[in-house]
Amino acid sequence: MNQSVLNSVGLILDIIGVVVLFYFGPPVLNITKEGHRILPFDSNNTAETNSNKALAKKHGIFSKLGLGFLMAGFLFQLGGSWL
């Protein structure tokens, strides 16, 4: 592969990663600056709880996938600059 192809692939992966992170946001840690855990309001509605768990799982997967696209894109660009 030549330099321009690697750079182009890297930029495309970066764009995909940014779009995914725009919709899902970065992975967040539920701990405050003081070191306390953020506890969500406990709902007795099991359907809502299950829906929230599924949403949290989906968010976690896609936010990490977006970061993975960004990292892969930067690695392609780095490889292109070394050629």
Side-chain angles (χ1 to χ4, degrees):
M1 290 188 141
N2 61 15
Q3 179 181 4
S4 63
V5 172
L6 284 175
N7 283 333
S8 296
V9 170
L11 286 172
I12 290 169
L13 290 174
D14 286 339
I15 290 169
I16 292 170
V18 167
V19 170
V20 170
L21 285 175
F22 176 77
Y23 284 109
F24 293 98
V28 292
L29 187 60
N30 293 330
I31 297 177
T32 64
K33 292 179 183 178
E34 292 81 24
H36 302 288
R37 285 196 175 268
I38 299 172
L39 298 176
F41 179 72
D42 191 19
S43 174
N44 291 332
N45 186 348
T46 57
E48 182 182 353
T49 301
N50 290 337
S51 173
N52 288 341
K53 285 181 184 179
L55 183 63
K57 184 176 181 179
K58 180 180 176 182
H59 175 270
I61 290 170
F62 278 101
S63 62
K64 289 175 185 159
L65 184 67
L67 289 175
F69 275 120
L70 282 176
M71 292 303 296
F74 285 129
L75 289 176
F76 271 92
Q77 288 179 341
L78 185 63
S81 67
W82 282 351
L83 286 179

